[in-house]
Amino acid sequence: MAQLNMPQPLWKVVRTGLGVSLAPDLAAKQPELAALVARAIALCANSDYNLGMAFIGMLKTEAAPAFAIYDALRRSYSKTQALRAASKIVLNEQDYRIFEALLELFAQDETQRNKFAHWIWAYCEKAPDYLVLVDPIDPLRWKASVAHIPPGSVGTMKTRLKETLSIAGWMERASCYSKPELEHIVERFADTNSLIAAFRNLMDYSIFYAVPEDELRSNLLNQPRLAQTLLQLDRQSG
C-alpha cells in the first residue's frame, strides 16, 4: 500500500487569498469527499466492533464478567488498556504480539477517524477539490489571544498584536485532503478492518472453517502492514 504525504496545510494548496468558510452544512458542497469520509468512519467503527468480538472470543467462558468491565469503560484509552491486559493473560506469546500490533494499527486509524468526526469541516473556494479540516482548538486559541488584549491598552498593543498574528495563522494551517488521499485512507481503514476480522476468526476458531487454524495465523503474519508493525514493536521493545 503506497504511502501518501498527507494532509497538506492550506497555505501549500492556496498561495493567496484563502477565502475559507466554516459552516456545518459545507459537506453538501463536496458529496464525493463526504462519502469517502463517511466510509472511513464506518470502517473504523466496524474495526472497533471486530476488536470487541475478538476480545470475547479470546476470553471464551470468562467473557461475560470481563466484558461487563470493558463495557463500563467509556474512554478509548481505558478500553485499549483493558484489551491489552486481558489478552496478555489468555493468549500465547505469538497471538499476543499479533493482537498488540492490531491495536497499534487501530489506534492510528482511530486518530484519523477522530479528526474526521470532531474537526470543523471548512470549504475553500480556491481549493474545491480538497476537504479542508480545521482543528477547533486553533480558532479558539486565536479568539482567546484577541480577547486577552485589554481595550485601549496602547502600551502593550504591539506585543499582543505580534502574538495574535502568529496564532492567527490557524486558517493557513488547516488540513487539506485530496480525493486520492481520502481514497488511500479508506483503503487503509479497510485493510485494518480485514486484519482484525481475520484475528477475530482465529480467536473464535471453529472446526468447520475451511482454512486450518495455523494457516489463518500464518496468513495474518504475512500481511505487509501487520508484519511491518510487528517489526516496529520489536525494535521499540528491544
Side-chain angles (χ1 to χ4, degrees), residues 12 17 29 33 91 102 110 122 131-132 141 149 155 176 207:
K12 282 192 174 183
K29 286 180 173 284
L33 303 186
L91 297 180
L102 290 174
E110 190 178 38
L131 164 65
V132 180
R141 184 183 291 113
I149 301 175
C176 296
I207 60 173

Side-chain angles (χ1 to χ4, degrees), residues 57 60 198-217:
K60 297 181 174 52
F199 184 79
R200 168 191 169 183
N201 289 338
L202 184 62
M203 292 298 96
D204 198 20
Y205 187 78
S206 168
I207 60 173
F208 298 106
Y209 283 6
V211 180
E213 186 176 359
D214 288 343
E215 189 174 337
L216 278 177
R217 185 177 288 106

Side-chain angles (χ1 to χ4, degrees), residues 51-71:
L51 275 176
M53 292 296 287
F55 180 57
I56 292 172
M58 72 176 69
L59 293 174
K60 297 181 174 52
T61 57
E62 301 299 321
F67 181 75
I69 297 172
Y70 175 79
D71 186 46

Side-chain angles (χ1 to χ4, degrees), residues 6-179:
M6 58 180 176
Q8 301 178 74
L10 185 57
W11 66 265
K12 282 192 174 183
V13 177
V14 180
R15 297 297 181 176
T16 58
L18 299 181
V20 175
S21 304
L22 302 179
D25 59 347
L26 288 175
K29 286 180 173 284
Q30 299 169 302
E32 284 189 272
L33 303 186
L36 287 168
V37 170
R39 173 74 174 146
I41 292 173
L43 281 165
C44 196
N46 209 62
S47 293
D48 197 10
Y49 165 73
N50 278 322
L51 275 176
M53 292 296 287
F55 180 57
I56 292 172
M58 72 176 69
L59 293 174
K60 297 181 174 52
T61 57
E62 301 299 321
F67 181 75
I69 297 172
Y70 175 79
D71 186 46
L73 300 173
R74 294 302 170 193
R75 297 187 62 181
S76 178
Y77 175 79
S78 300
K79 284 181 179 289
T80 300
Q81 292 304 101
L83 287 172
R84 289 184 191 279
S87 61
K88 197 164 189 176
I89 294 172
V90 299
L91 297 180
N92 60 47
E93 184 178 354
Q94 187 177 48
D95 287 346
Y96 175 72
R97 288 181 66 251
I98 294 173
F99 189 60
E100 190 177 27
L102 290 174
L103 288 176
E104 180 67 24
L105 290 175
F106 177 73
Q108 295 169 10
D109 291 359
E110 190 178 38
T111 297
Q112 181 62 64
R113 188 276 313 272
N114 289 343
K115 291 181 180 179
F116 287 152
H118 302 299
W119 283 26
I120 302 169
W121 192 302
Y123 182 76
C124 180
E125 296 287 350
K126 293 188 177 182
D129 296 329
Y130 285 84
L131 164 65
V132 180
L133 293 179
V134 176
D135 184 346
I137 200 67
D138 284 339
L140 292 174
R141 184 183 291 113
W142 173 76
K143 183 66 174 177
S145 71
V146 174
H148 196 58
I149 301 175
S153 56
V154 179
T156 59
M157 187 62 73
K158 286 186 178 180
T159 303
R160 297 300 185 192
L161 184 59
K162 185 178 179 181
E163 177 186 347
T164 299
L165 288 174
S166 68
I167 297 172
W170 63 267
M171 190 69 79
E172 297 176 352
R173 294 190 298 271
S175 298
C176 296
Y177 298 82
S178 67
K179 183 179 177 182

Side-chain angles (χ1 to χ4, degrees), residues 184-196:
H184 176 81
I185 290 172
V186 169
E187 182 184 356
R188 192 185 81 206
F189 281 25
D191 183 62
T192 301
N193 185 52
S194 295
L195 291 171
I196 295 173

